[in-house]
Amino acid sequence: MKILVTGGTGMVGKSLKKYIPEAEYVSSKDYDLTSEEQVKKMFYNIKPDVVVHLAARVGGIIDNTKYPTEYFNQNVIMNTHMVKNAYEYGVKRFIGVLSTCIYPDVVESYPILENMIHLGPPTKTNFSYGYAKRALAVQIDAYNQQYGTQYQYLIPCNLYGEYDKYGDNSHFIAALIKKIHNAKKNNENKITLFGDGSPLRQFMHSDDLAHVIKYCLDNGIHDNMNVAIDENLSISEMAQIALNVCGAEHIKIEYDATKPNGQHRKDVSSKILKSKIPSFKPINLQDGIKKTYNYLIKNNII
């Protein structure tokens, strides 16, 4: 089976390469997925039987609120081209990776179940991105309903790992590790984080999502499901864990309440995941941050 992975040079793509080294990994340098002509060319050249669609425009709260048009347009366009052309080229299995940003900003009960996706609008800070990713779920469900395909979407919680971005547009854990490291390097005694530290988040190592993708492909699992770790910690709790892991217990945390908190909580249920993959044992946050930090130091990435 020929496997095509889009977003192949991203965080999850690099993790997946450790599990499925034989797949064809492509990035935006190879094909522009917002161009249907380029997408058609990619399918013609690679002729995949299976597609794992990881490619997306992603970023933090500030970038999402600054460029909502780009987040919506680019994600909707590339997702639409990918599913449509996968079907037209006879792709047997398609896995689209979404985000818990698709879920309503607030629900009546937590953790969030997969069938709660349409109970309200996404959070304002990721509104365009959330709707674009939600549209991919609708599209995959539509193809399965109309054409009997076995296409699937996975909805991971927040991710982190060695292969995340460590520049100006980082996700929270990556930005946190970099801030702590820079403070240590510059002999500073504090770091500043957005908001007030109260929002709750599930953060999972990207290797765990890669493991789930591999397991689904190997075992014929094509259920739509959340993929998450059960730990649901506050920003302040995660920051303290990171300080301890990075050997920076002496550094204090200050919060900038003029900056947004983001969604207060969006923890999702992993009940379906555990029923389908009972062997799933994700790495806990402390061990995952330690693994990530050691890798970054060893390879002079930060």
Side-chain angles (χ1 to χ4, degrees), residues 111-157:
I112 302 172
L113 304 173
E114 289 83 353
N115 62 8
M116 299 165 77
I117 181 173
H118 298 297
L119 295 184
T123 184
K124 290 182 179 179
T125 49
N126 296 89
F127 193 78
S128 291
Y129 176 75
Y131 257 125
K133 283 291 194 177
R134 190 184 289 191
L136 177 55
V138 172
Q139 187 182 16
I140 288 172
D141 285 340
Y143 272 81
N144 289 340
Q145 177 184 335
Q146 187 169 343
Y147 299 113
T149 49
Q150 293 185 335
Y151 292 179
Q152 168 189 27
Y153 52 86
L154 300 176
I155 311 166
C157 62

Side-chain angles (χ1 to χ4, degrees), residues 18 160-162 166 173 177 203-208 229 231 233 237-238 240-246 281-296:
K18 294 186 288 189
Y160 70 97
E162 296 90 310
Y166 290 88
I173 294 293
I177 291 173
F203 265 93
M204 181 175 64
H205 195 282
S206 59
D207 282 1
D208 288 323
I229 192 168
E231 289 178 304
L233 305 176
E237 287 174 319
M238 288 188 283
Q240 194 57 56
I241 288 171
L243 286 173
N244 295 340
V245 166
C246 298
K281 300 245 184 318
I283 185 171
N284 65 47
L285 187 65
Q286 182 172 337
D287 292 340
I289 291 179
K290 184 176 182 180
K291 177 176 183 284
T292 300
Y293 186 61
N294 289 342
Y295 176 89
L296 298 175

